[in-house]
Amino acid sequence: MATSSAAALWYFESVNLYHILCPHKVKKMGDKHEFIRYKKDDFVYVPEDTASNIYLIVDGRIKIGHYLDDGKEVVSSILTTGEIFGELALAGEDTRRDFAQAMCDAVICPLTIEELKALMFENKELSFKILKLIGLRLMKLERKLELLVFKDARTRVIEFLKDTATWKGQRVGFETMIPTKLTHKDIAALTGTSRQTVTTILNELKEQNLINFDRKKILIRDINNLR
C-alpha cells in the first residue's frame, strides 16, 4: 500500500523543468505537499480512475501501460527519478485509460491540475516545456505502435535504441551514450519481444562493434551505421 510523508516539492531534472522553477514558489508550496510512498507492484492509478493529478517521480521506477481486450499487458513507457507521468490529465483526460505501477519501492509527489496550471500561468517557459513534453510523448507512442505493427524484432530493438538515443542520448564525437537503468526485460516489454530475444540482439550488435553496454549505459558507436 502507498504511504505519505511531508516533503518539499520538485523533481523535474530529466525533462529540464527543475532548473526553471523559482525556488520561492517551491518553498511556498512545499509546506502543504506530501510525498507518497509505493511498494513494488502497487498501482498509482488504474484504468477508469479519475484523472486529477500529475505525478513526479522522486525515487524509483514507474511502468505505464494498458491492457488489451484479452487481458494482455502492453507497456508504453518505463519512467524513473525526475520524470513526470499522468500528464494527459492536463490535456483534458477525465478518467485514466492506462495504468501506472511501481516497478520497485517508489516515492511520488502528486500535484493537482490546479496547482500545475497556476505555476504554468506564472511561468511561460514552464508552460511551453510541459506542452512540449506531452507532444513528444504522444509522438513516441505513435512511433511505438508503428514499430509493433510493421517491424520485426531486430528492427524494433534497433529503432528503440535510436529513438532512446534521440530522446536521452549524449553525443561524444560519432558515439552516443545512453544513460539507462533499463534491464533486458524492460526493453523486451517496451518493444513487444522477449528478454531472451533482446539479449541475443544486443549481443549480436555488440559482437559487430555497433554498440557496447553495461548495467548503467548503452554506447552506440555510430548511430548512422546502426542497422
Side-chain angles (χ1 to χ4, degrees):
M1 296 293 294
T3 59
S4 301
S5 63
L9 185 55
W10 219 276
Y11 286 79
F12 255 135
E13 290 90 339
S14 67
V15 290
N16 297 319
L17 296 175
Y18 177 85
H19 299 293
I20 66 170
L21 289 170
C22 173
H24 176 69
K25 294 175 186 175
V26 175
K27 290 178 182 178
K28 183 172 67 175
M29 297 182 69
D31 291 340
K32 61 181 180 179
H33 265 80
E34 291 185 329
F35 285 166
I36 304 178
R37 300 179 183 277
Y38 293 87
K39 297 292 186 182
K40 181 181 179 182
D41 296 329
D42 280 353
F43 285 92
V44 181
Y45 57 76
V46 296
E48 304 304 323
D49 277 358
T50 300
S52 56
N53 289 333
I54 304 290
Y55 300 91
L56 324 174
I57 304 176
V58 178
D59 189 34
R61 299 198 303 158
I62 299 294
K63 174 173 63 177
I64 309 297
H66 64 276
Y67 299 105
L68 301 179
D69 291 340
D70 61 5
K72 182 180 179 181
E73 178 183 289
V74 178
V75 178
S76 57
S77 59
I78 294 174
L79 306 174
T80 188
T81 302
E83 296 189 281
I84 73 171
F85 62 96
E87 69 279 353
L88 288 182
L90 189 64
E93 182 181 62
D94 295 320
T95 57
R96 301 294 183 186
R97 289 174 289 178
D98 54 8
F99 66 81
Q101 184 180 27
M103 299 182 69
C104 58
D105 288 356
V107 182
I108 305 297
C109 180
L111 191 66
T112 68
I113 303 304
E114 290 71 25
E115 289 169 332
L116 186 55
K117 282 182 177 178
L119 287 173
M120 291 172 67
F121 180 78
E122 296 177 11
N123 189 326
K124 300 304 181 185
E125 188 176 0
L126 171 63
S127 179
F128 171 76
K129 287 183 177 289
I130 289 286
L131 294 174
K132 181 179 179 182
L133 174 69
I134 293 173
L136 287 172
R137 289 232 173 122
L138 290 173
M139 288 172 60
K140 285 178 67 180
L141 182 57
E142 291 179 1
R143 169 74 167 157
K144 180 182 177 181
L145 291 174
E146 176 188 344
L147 290 173
L148 288 176
V149 172
F150 297 111
K151 305 295 183 179
D152 59 79
R154 179 184 171 91
T155 302
R156 293 203 297 270
V157 172
I158 288 175
E159 293 301 316
F160 169 80
L161 293 176
K162 289 182 175 180
D163 290 346
T164 305
T166 301
W167 182 250
K168 293 183 176 180
Q170 302 168 7
R171 290 297 295 268
V172 182
F174 288 106
E175 297 183 332
T176 304
M177 192 272 287
I178 307 169
T180 181
K181 295 181 181 179
L182 293 178
T183 65
H184 291 187
K185 182 179 178 180
D186 295 337
I187 296 173
L190 290 166
T191 55
T193 57
S194 68
R195 182 188 59 78
Q196 183 177 2
T197 297
V198 169
T199 299
T200 298
I201 293 169
L202 292 180
N203 283 332
E204 287 175 352
L205 295 173
K206 184 176 182 179
E207 289 173 3
Q208 296 167 5
N209 199 33
L210 293 172
I211 68 168
N212 200 356
F213 60 88
D214 56 33
R215 293 184 178 181
K216 294 184 178 180
K217 64 181 181 299
I218 298 173
L219 181 69
I220 299 176
R221 299 297 188 187
D222 185 343
I223 198 166
N224 295 322
N225 290 331
L226 184 60
R227 57 178 64 92

